[in-house]
Amino acid sequence: MPSITHIALVELEKAGILKFVISQNVDSLHLRSGIPREKLAELHGNSFREICPSCGVEYLRDFEIETIGMKKTPRRCSDVKCGSRLKDTVLDWEDALPPVEMNPAEENCRMADVVLCLGTSLQITPACNLPLKSLRGGGKIVIVNLQQTPKDKKASLVVHAPVDKVIAGVMRHLNLWIPPYVRVDLFQINLDQYSRPSRSDKYVKWALRVGSVHGPKAPLPFVQSIEVSFSDRPDLKTAILNKQPFKLKRETLKTRPFTIALKLNFSDVCGCRCANVDFPVNFQEEADNISHDKDTVVRKLRYAAIQSQCCGQVSLVERKIRLTPRTDIFVGAIATNIVWYCNFPEGSRFPEDIPKNNDHLVSKHNDSVSYTEMPPKKLKCY
């Protein structure tokens, strides 16, 4: 989960104070917390990001990629005109830093008024020398680290303390609130008919699969077990699925519509235990394809989780029918974790009182400060 510092950096970026982030970590927490990709240089790569070597499209995953060293992965580019094998983005020890990440990092350091070095020993070259580039343009270096670093003598300010405590104090001084982090994951439900029954058949065989949007072998990291029950069908017994991939096979009358009720039991993360998903089934009617904007769905889920102060909210992203053989596909988004870093502002209890951004608390600082963004990335999040 992102730390206080991760979320605080996002709010500083929204306020126009933070211009660019340079990371040596591969944990994807900056992207997950909300730092725009074009304002982030991940010098050593990202364990959760794949890239297409042919067309350059990046894929941000909710699971850790199987390989390191920019090797090929089992997946392919989703672009129908491409289809190339994807590669991981994590560097091995002998690999040079990629110019597409290093060049904007150097340029932003040259133009920075202040470079904050947070929680780094500043010992790994060439990344440790990046802050020094700000000095030639009259910039300053601030280092926050528990131990001494080789660059302490070059810094205008050195603070030996935990980074989260220092940043929390900075946010209080700026009158900026650190909002909670709500994690939202995608999942997919497939209802497969083994064979399309003739009109004379009374029964239909089907299989239910609940898994990741990345494919049948990809795990659901947030689900421990699933309880499956059937509304309006007392003849169908409740089933408990404890092993991934989650699968269930049944044979039912095709003339009787029903609803599959799923209870997704979470891994013990934030204290919220489960989420409920209803999946209506009617083998005699053709369902309409439905598609919603994923970013809008995620934003509403996060808002709802903050409002209720718990996770477990579910929303439909896409529903489609695939024929021969028929498969009903339901793609949903679910709030799977919520982390609170501080209480609501005094006197505030409802989300409408919570600042959606901090523009009204700190004036924008982008009038006289220029910065260089990374080239626009084609980033797909799944």
Side-chain angles (χ1 to χ4, degrees):
M1 289 296 122
S3 66
I4 289 177
T5 300
H6 286 102
I7 303 301
L9 291 178
V10 174
E11 297 306 304
L12 291 172
E13 187 276 327
K14 291 179 180 178
I17 299 172
L18 179 67
K19 300 300 180 181
F20 201 80
V21 175
I22 303 168
S23 175
Q24 295 173 266
N25 297 326
V26 298
D27 52 22
S28 195
L29 290 181
H30 285 298
L31 287 175
R32 189 170 290 170
S33 61
I35 291 292
R37 179 66 180 99
E38 65 272 13
K39 295 186 178 181
L40 173 66
E42 295 179 307
L43 299 183
H44 296 164
N46 186 327
S47 294
F48 296 81
R49 176 163 54 87
E50 294 174 289
I51 189 169
C52 176
S54 298
C55 66
V57 175
E58 295 182 346
Y59 295 84
L60 187 63
R61 308 299 191 184
D62 60 3
F63 60 89
E64 197 166 3
I65 308 304
E66 302 91 333
T67 61
I68 64 169
M70 296 182 287
K71 298 182 180 67
K72 290 182 178 179
T73 70
R75 289 159 293 277
R76 292 185 177 273
C77 180
S78 61
D79 191 332
V80 294
K81 296 181 180 180
C82 181
S84 299
R85 283 278 295 275
L86 302 179
K87 291 185 176 183
D88 72 80
T89 58
V90 177
L91 304 185
D92 214 337
W93 287 106
E94 66 273 10
D95 295 326
L97 298 184
V100 70
E101 306 287 342
M102 192 64 175
N103 291 344
E106 291 178 338
E107 187 63 23
N108 278 277
C109 283
R110 290 191 190 99
M111 295 190 299
D113 294 324
V114 177
V115 175
L116 302 178
C117 304
L118 305 177
T120 172
S121 62
L122 293 173
Q123 293 184 7
I124 299 178
T125 57
C128 67
N129 294 319
L130 285 173
L132 303 181
K133 297 182 182 297
S134 66
L135 300 178
R136 299 166 190 169
K140 297 181 179 180
I141 299 174
V142 174
I143 298 175
V144 182
N145 197 54
L146 285 174
Q147 293 83 25
Q148 293 181 348
T149 77
K151 312 299 182 185
D152 283 359
K153 293 182 179 179
K154 300 286 186 179
S156 300
L157 175 65
V158 177
V159 182
H160 295 302
V163 173
D164 281 351
K165 288 187 177 181
V166 175
I167 293 300
V170 169
M171 298 295 280
R172 281 195 298 269
H173 181 74
L174 294 175
N175 198 24
L176 289 174
W177 182 57
I178 304 176
Y181 168 73
V182 179
R183 173 166 175 162
V184 176
D185 286 285
L186 298 181
F187 67 98
Q188 182 169 310
I189 301 173
N190 285 21
L191 186 68
D192 305 314
Q193 289 183 219
Y194 287 124
S195 61
R196 195 167 183 83
S198 65
R199 294 183 181 274
S200 60
D201 291 337
K202 293 182 179 180
Y203 294 90
V204 57
K205 293 182 179 181
W206 53 268
L208 176 75
R209 293 184 290 127
V210 183
S212 170
V213 295
H214 307 293
K217 294 184 179 180
L220 280 177
F222 56 91
V223 177
Q224 199 168 37
S225 64
I226 298 179
E227 181 180 330
V228 185
S229 57
F230 305 90
S231 303
D232 305 320
R233 292 299 302 268
D235 56 313
L236 296 176
K237 295 182 179 180
T238 299
I240 306 295
L241 310 179
N242 293 310
K243 185 179 179 180
Q244 297 202 37
F246 300 110
K247 294 182 179 180
L248 179 68
K249 296 181 179 180
R250 286 288 188 270
E251 183 177 11
T252 58
L253 281 168
K254 72 171 184 177
T255 57
R256 293 181 60 183
F258 58 96
T259 298
I260 300 176
L262 303 177
K263 181 180 179 182
L264 280 62
N265 298 308
F266 293 161
S267 303
D268 189 15
V269 179
C270 69
C272 303
R273 298 191 177 278
C274 65
N276 297 306
V277 182
D278 291 335
F279 188 78
V281 178
N282 190 338
F283 292 112
Q284 291 190 307
E285 291 186 3
E286 294 291 340
D288 295 331
N289 291 338
I290 302 173
S291 181
H292 300 294
D293 180 68
K294 187 186 70 174
D295 293 336
T296 301
V297 170
V298 170
R299 187 165 56 249
K300 289 181 177 179
L301 282 178
R302 286 175 173 156
Y303 182 89
I306 293 175
Q307 185 179 34
S308 59
Q309 301 188 27
C310 66
C311 61
Q313 295 79 11
V314 181
S315 183
L316 172 68
V317 176
E318 182 181 22
R319 179 166 185 169
K320 56 186 177 181
I321 307 297
R322 191 170 58 203
L323 302 177
T324 60
R326 170 169 169 155
T327 301
D328 292 51
I329 301 174
F330 174 104
V331 177
I334 181 170
T336 56
N337 200 358
I338 183 168
V339 180
W340 298 88
Y341 302 103
C342 61
N343 295 326
F344 287 115
E346 187 176 354
S348 170
R349 281 191 59 85
F350 303 102
E352 49 264 32
D353 298 324
I354 300 172
K356 294 180 177 59
N357 57 54
N358 292 305
D359 295 352
H360 66 294
L361 298 176
V362 175
S363 59
K364 291 276 188 176
H365 288 233
N366 54 7
D367 297 334
S368 59
V369 179
S370 61
Y371 64 98
T372 298
E373 293 186 355
M374 293 185 63
K377 296 288 184 180
K378 294 180 283 185
L379 181 64
K380 296 185 178 182
C381 302
Y382 293 102

